[in-house]
Amino acid sequence: MTRRTRVLVAGAVATAVGLTAAGMGVANAATDPPPLAFTLATPNVVAERYIWDDDGQAYLYFDLGVNVIAGKDPFEIRATRKSYADPIVANQVVVKNGKKKNVQLPAGMVTGWGGLKDFTTVTIKDAAGAQVANYTTDFCPNSYNSARTRRDAPAENPYPQGCSDYNPFNLGAVWGIQAGWNAATDSMPKGEDFDLADGSYTATVSLNKQYQDYFKIAADSGTLKINVKVETIDERETADGEAVVAKSKAARVGQDTSPEAAVAEHGEHAGQGDPSLQISAYKPNFRPPAKKPKAVKASSIAKGPRPDLKSLPAWGISLNQEGDKSYVAFGATVWNAGTSPLLVDGFRQTGTDLMDAYQYFFDANGKETGSVAAGTMEWDAREGHRHWHFTDFAQYNLLAADQKLAVRSGKEAFCLANTDAVDYTIPNAKWRPENTDLSSSCGQNTAVAVREVLDIGNGDTYTQDRPGQSFEVTDLPNGTYYIETKANPSNKLTELSTTNNTSLRKIILGGTPTARTLEVPPVNGIEG
């Protein structure tokens, strides 16, 4: 069983090491904080090992309390690629003489969507001085638990939460630390089980040489030492043992561990239909009007910002055998690359499980300019759903080698949610969307109206384990096929362009009826 981590940290900041970013100049020490500070919350931490199940395996909560704090200006990085065939290019947005400019980061600092690669090295020694662990960690500036660290810092943090490297077809990311705010560095080894026996340890966290050189940090200034005491707590007799494990798993992969987020998973989410989890439904901008609007034609609404739906190639593709049946399961993402959010309100047909859906439009200042009929919403009572689905958002097809229809997916309706940051570098991208999972949108079966939103730069991903999201291939002959993801299939939504709504992902079926095989060639070198 996998071991997960957290740490209990107490005390005040013990040290702050100034980092001068290339191109940013040297701050006036008498008036300005350093552009970045590498800080230690406390020299002493207690890490708790929770034993939850009867086999006695432990879940270690481990956080060394090391943070990076931005100075008088935000620390911001924009990573993007022109196409899937191009490498990721990362630029730091620096401020010089009151003006912003982009400074490209050196090669090797950013190679994926998880942040700055190999940012720190963590070395752990036991009480006898013997080394028990040594590993590097990446750094995601988009900390979930970021807070301002000085009284004159801005009240709000505009940057996204988390560095999403889950979807292999991301196009652009924004990572940042608000001026005067903090971002925690990782304490855990990447993608590995990790545990420490009870006892006392010394942990050394060092900025790696590439970052020391680039940020002009003296070799002896980027190293922090923490005394760690590991203690085991037996949770097997407590009622909240399962909650402890759930929280530790989320912390292990850098997820939000707030109560609201504890129920959420990627794609379609747990907790739908629970009124206590309908977070966004109580926010004014997520309340639909009291009654449905008068139907008009899209052509009658003044030209202005519009959404633009694009389909990413299918991913996370797998072959599943259930008895004598074979299925190809897949994940699919449709995202909004337009100049306006896609906002759809549903109004219930009294006494039915149907809603009339309307798409709303806005001018450049965000003022509503009108709405048009856009199909329907329907209540989906199946386990794993239990919310309102918009029926005209996307369609999944399996095409034969000649690109003619072979199988249509049973997944034909969707709850819109901003599950993935696909490209936050495009203009007006919404870095902090409010309906990020289905526990915060899509409504209950008692709803008389529902609002569903797909914000600019965000994608809505349905993972391969959702009900109906697969193709039965039991009786299909071996050969080449294409998974077609098609946004706005009936053209009931008004958008900037409908020429980019379809994507194809090649797969190859082989084997025998009772032992099928699946090959998924990469797309421009991207696996998944």
Side-chain angles (χ1 to χ4, degrees):
M1 199 170 281
T2 307
R3 291 183 275 263
R4 310 295 185 181
T5 66
R6 183 189 66 160
V7 111
L8 303 181
V9 181
V13 172
T15 183
V17 179
L19 317 185
T20 302
M24 297 183 73
V26 179
N28 184 332
T31 58
D32 295 329
L36 289 175
F38 191 52
T39 70
L40 178 63
T42 173
N44 303 292
V45 301
V46 176
E48 295 180 347
R49 297 175 73 247
Y50 284 88
I51 296 179
W52 174 68
D53 51 17
D54 290 337
D55 63 10
Q57 294 214 25
Y59 299 84
L60 176 66
Y61 285 137
F62 191 74
D63 178 2
L64 294 171
V66 175
N67 290 268
V68 175
I69 298 177
K72 70 183 183 67
D73 298 312
F75 175 72
E76 181 176 315
I77 294 172
R78 295 187 174 223
T80 187
R81 56 184 171 192
K82 294 179 180 179
S83 72
Y84 297 133
D86 292 300
I88 298 172
V89 175
N91 289 281
Q92 182 182 355
V93 180
V94 300
V95 180
K96 191 171 185 179
N97 298 324
K99 295 183 179 181
K100 293 181 179 181
K101 70 173 185 177
N102 293 328
V103 177
Q104 186 169 331
L105 295 179
M109 283 190 176
V110 175
T111 59
W113 302 109
L116 297 173
K117 182 178 175 61
D118 295 337
F119 187 72
T120 64
T121 296
V122 179
T123 302
I124 301 175
K125 295 183 178 180
D126 63 18
Q131 180 174 299
V132 297
N134 180 263
Y135 50 87
T136 61
T137 71
D138 298 340
F139 175 55
C140 172
N142 294 344
S143 180
Y144 279 105
N145 298 314
S146 184
R148 57 181 172 185
T149 62
R150 60 174 191 263
R151 292 175 62 188
D152 65 340
E156 300 292 335
N157 179 7
Y159 294 106
Q161 292 182 306
C163 296
S164 175
D165 57 358
Y166 184 73
N167 191 317
F169 294 101
N170 290 346
L171 288 168
V174 175
W175 306 320
I177 309 172
Q178 173 65 296
W181 289 56
N182 75 300
T185 65
D186 283 349
S187 298
M188 292 287 297
K190 293 176 283 189
E192 297 180 15
D193 293 347
F194 186 68
D195 194 16
L196 292 171
D198 283 10
S200 297
Y201 300 85
T202 300
T204 302
V205 182
S206 301
L207 282 165
N208 287 329
K209 187 176 186 303
Q210 184 180 25
Y211 298 98
Q212 290 182 346
D213 292 345
Y214 183 73
F215 292 113
K216 296 180 172 45
I217 306 165
D220 59 350
S221 299
T223 298
L224 306 174
K225 290 190 176 182
I226 305 101
N227 299 314
V228 181
K229 185 177 183 180
V230 178
E231 297 179 346
T232 295
I233 297 175
D234 194 332
E235 288 283 346
R236 283 174 288 191
E237 302 301 322
T238 69
D240 61 350
E242 187 171 351
V244 168
V245 174
K247 185 172 182 180
S248 67
K249 289 181 178 180
R252 174 65 178 82
V253 296
Q255 294 176 344
D256 185 0
T257 56
S258 64
E260 294 86 352
V263 299
E265 296 178 5
H266 194 82
E268 280 216 292
H269 304 257
Q272 307 96 316
D274 183 344
S276 67
L277 301 175
Q278 301 299 319
I279 304 161
S280 294
Y282 300 101
K283 297 181 179 180
N285 57 327
F286 270 83
R287 294 175 188 158
K291 61 180 180 179
K292 65 182 179 181
K294 181 179 179 181
V296 298
K297 293 183 179 180
S299 58
S300 67
I301 297 174
K303 295 295 184 182
R306 297 286 190 267
D308 187 14
L309 300 180
K310 292 185 177 182
S311 298
L312 298 182
W315 55 283
I317 303 167
S318 62
L319 181 67
N320 301 326
Q321 194 77 31
E322 299 179 12
D324 58 354
K325 302 287 187 182
S326 299
Y327 298 87
V328 170
F330 60 96
T333 306
V334 173
W335 72 289
N336 182 3
T339 54
S340 167
L342 172 65
L343 189 153
V344 180
D345 283 347
F347 301 89
R348 192 164 192 162
Q349 299 175 13
T350 304
T352 74
D353 285 340
L354 286 175
M355 289 189 181
D356 297 316
Y358 291 82
Q359 179 185 357
Y360 284 74
F361 302 92
F362 308 88
D363 63 19
N365 296 318
K367 182 180 179 181
E368 185 180 306
T369 58
S371 60
V372 299
T376 60
M377 293 183 184
E378 63 182 18
W379 174 256
D380 191 328
R382 291 178 296 171
E383 186 71 28
H385 293 282
R386 293 180 181 170
H387 49 232
W388 290 91
H389 276 162
F390 177 51
T391 57
D392 296 282
F393 180 65
Q395 183 182 92
Y396 307 145
N397 299 311
L398 184 64
L399 308 181
D402 60 2
Q403 298 192 12
K404 293 183 178 179
L405 181 66
V407 182
R408 176 160 291 170
S409 171
K411 178 66 179 169
E412 296 179 340
F414 303 81
C415 169
L416 306 187
N418 301 293
T419 64
D420 290 78
V422 177
D423 193 348
Y424 276 4
T425 66
I426 64 175
N428 300 315
K430 186 70 173 289
W431 293 351
R432 286 196 166 213
E434 293 178 286
N435 63 324
T436 55
D437 62 77
L438 304 193
S439 67
S440 62
S441 59
C442 305
Q444 303 165 244
N445 61 352
T446 55
V448 295
V450 167
R451 171 163 292 180
E452 300 186 5
V453 179
L454 187 61
D455 275 304
I456 300 171
N458 287 273
D460 185 4
T461 295
Y462 275 70
T463 49
Q464 62 268 40
D465 59 346
R466 305 321 307 160
Q469 184 139 335
S470 64
F471 302 112
E472 186 183 344
V473 297
T474 308
D475 297 325
L476 292 184
N478 292 343
T480 296
Y481 295 86
Y482 296 90
I483 297 176
E484 178 187 52
T485 303
K486 190 172 185 178
N488 193 14
S490 301
N491 291 327
K492 291 184 178 180
L493 296 170
T494 300
E495 50 178 323
L496 292 177
S497 173
T498 57
T499 62
N500 51 18
N501 287 12
T502 300
S503 68
L504 299 177
R505 185 71 191 272
K506 182 178 179 179
I507 65 171
I508 301 171
L509 290 176
T512 66
T514 57
R516 299 303 296 260
T517 63
L518 174 69
E519 179 184 349
V520 183
V523 175
N524 291 321
I526 298 176
E527 303 285 348

